[in-house]
Amino acid sequence: MAYFPDIPTIPFEGPSSKNPLAFKHYNPDELIEGKSMRDHFRFGAAYWHVMRNGLSDPFGGPTAVMPWDDYSDSVDNAKKRADVFFEFLEKIGIDYYCFHDRDIAPELDDFAASTKALEDVVDHLEGLQQSSGRKLLWGTACLFAHPRYSQGAGTSPDARVFAYGAAQVKAAMDATHKLNGEGYTFWGGREGYASLLNTDMKRELDHLAALLHMAVDYKKKIGFEGQFYIEPKPREPSTHQYDSDSAACLNFLREYDLIDHFKLNIETNHATLAGHTMQHELTVAMSAGALGSIDANQGDTLLGWDTDQFPSDLYGTTQVMLKVLEMGGFTTGGLNFDAKRRRESHEPIDLFYAHIGGMDAFARGLKIAAAIRADGRIAEALTNRYKSWDSGIGATIEGGTDLDTLDQWVRQNGEPVINSGRQELLENILNEHF
């Protein structure tokens, strides 16, 4: 059965096309810096947004029209959603997907029933993957939606909730492993606090680290070779979340001897909420060799919550792709569209318009980023700004010295003459490429 009978497989028609159901810039086989666009991006679709997001917001209920869904908690309905999703992946030309366990299968009356439902749907997904060639980028457990997790999962003050969350992680890891997932993500949606008056922060962090170590041990036990990720986010729903930004995540991983087992899955909208740019968050992760995957979206600076909009800002997509190219491309992970349609864009066809726009925005960002790198002037300016470190006293400092030596050098050489940072010039050069 076709669930999108009036929508064709989305073609590439080029910049002159006016067809809303065609790519203008994303040509999957086009080579940029010796690699196809398909391989540069490793685009993924978010099951929770495509199939499960009803488009509600803090002030209103769902508006999405989903004619295939009977809104029951049956396994048959869950399997039908999966069929719809894989038809969508095929027609939009996206090779990967991501899920939470409770997105793909219902949460039922008890843990055993919920786990059995998950296993049944995973068997169905396995068949869909085999017949379509689509792959699982990463899976995860939803440890934030159910009321039991209102005070956290790995950081819950209740040990019984911790145990339940750990069992759910085990089941979600089993599902991801069976589907040959290339990664597994931990997002601490409620791993934080609302008030320090009732929070033992040290104990909660110790418990969270214990859960992650258990996951590392179980990963080895079952032979799962995918990459583990942590996804930073500073707040909302919690007042403060422990995985608040890239630096906080890295500090946590180092403190608890987990740094060798995890990379970061970084989301643009989360960077905004943390008071950073996406460029900053990617740079922090890259500097630690810990950039693993990216949730591709954008936020609205006029709104104070995680709006998860589809990326349309070409400066933003260019900055992301400059970092991805600088890193040498993804060795794990990819670009997952953790993005939802606007509440007014409620018809099924809007799923296609939204993803086409996001994929085209990243295609333009990639081409612009490659042109900036080929031009070379910005990279040259960066190199020149730090050239005093390449020889003389700079090389002495980086090689290891002491305060007495530097004191003597300053007395001999006097006040340094500072060069301009040329920020405006570099911004002008950047704008030449748009």
Side-chain angles (χ1 to χ4, degrees), residues 322-336:
L322 278 170
K323 288 300 175 183
V324 172
L325 292 174
E326 180 185 338
M327 182 175 66
F330 289 110
T331 56
T332 178
L335 284 166
N336 168 51

Side-chain angles (χ1 to χ4, degrees), residues 1 18 28 33-34 40 51 80 90 98-99 111 118 122 139-140 221 225 229 232 238 260 307 318 337 388 431:
M1 177 179 178
K18 302 301 181 185
E33 294 195 4
H40 273 295
M51 300 311 303
K80 182 188 291 186
E90 180 180 357
C98 304
F99 67 71
F111 179 77
L118 177 63
V122 165
T140 187
K221 179 180 179 180
E225 297 182 354
Y229 306 109
S238 299
D260 292 335
T307 55
T318 298
F337 285 112
S388 67
N431 283 343

